Every structure is written in structure tokens, then in C-alpha cells.
Amino acid sequence: MNVYDRPVERPPEEIVELLLKQKNVRIEKIVSDGHTSDWYDQEEDEWVCLLTGEADLEYETGMQTLRAGDCVFLPRHRRHRVARTTACVWLCVFIEG
């Protein structure tokens, strides 16, 4: 498995691949290309690193543009949504508790 691998064609839906699941930590690779999301209000903390592409995260207080290499920490219950994506590969670490 290579974390940078992505389909040649644009996938019809986001691809979420579970890389690791331990007691209170989950690591996922997400591939998105033009995909957006509804609002999240998560029960867990999330650390996100955008490995490729560009994306806009929207918060109740404004917008943040991420470019390849940018990382962000989203504490639990921080409402957010993915408002825009290009050919993105995300590495996401979820921490419970």
C-alpha cells in the first residue's frame, strides 16, 4: 500500500480506506476529487494532513484553504464541513476519549 496511490479516473464517491484501528485511535486515508461533505459534529478529535490537492474546510466562523502538506487539528464537536476539493489524498487520525 502506498498512501499516495489514487485511482486514475475520478471516483464517483470519496474513497475511505482504514489503515489502522487501535483501542482509541483510527487512521484513515481518504481520496476525494470534487467531493464535498455535510456538516460534521464529531465525538472524537481529528488530526488531518492533506497530502495532495487543495481543499476548503468551512467552519461556523469562516473558511480555511488547505494545500498539499497542510495539517489541521479539529477538536471534538468543532462543527466543520469539506466545502471544496481538487484531486486530494487525506491522512486522518481520529482520537477517542
Side-chain angles (χ1 to χ4, degrees):
M1 192 276 301
N2 184 306
V3 74
Y4 290 103
D5 286 346
R6 53 177 296 115
V8 176
E9 301 288 325
R10 179 190 180 275
E13 297 178 1
E14 267 191 341
I15 299 170
V16 178
E17 183 178 350
L18 180 63
L19 302 180
L20 177 74
K21 174 72 173 140
Q22 291 293 321
K23 192 182 307 185
N24 65 335
V25 174
R26 184 176 80 250
I27 302 174
E28 295 178 351
K29 170 188 170 182
I30 301 174
V31 175
S32 53
D33 190 350
H35 303 96
T36 60
S37 73
D38 291 329
W39 286 94
Y40 293 109
D41 185 355
Q42 301 169 166
E43 294 291 328
E44 53 203 356
D45 293 331
E46 181 180 5
W47 176 84
V48 176
C49 183
L50 185 61
L51 301 177
T52 66
E54 188 173 291
D56 290 334
L57 292 182
E58 184 176 1
Y59 308 100
E60 292 177 314
T61 56
M63 192 82 72
Q64 178 181 17
T65 297
L66 299 178
R67 293 177 181 77
D70 288 343
C71 302
V72 64
F73 178 73
L74 302 165
R76 70 193 74 165
H77 297 299
R78 179 162 191 203
R79 285 181 41 88
H80 66 282
R81 73 179 199 93
V82 179
R84 179 185 67 90
T85 60
T86 62
C88 294
V89 175
W90 307 79
L91 185 63
C92 304
V93 179
F94 299 90
I95 305 157
E96 297 176 11

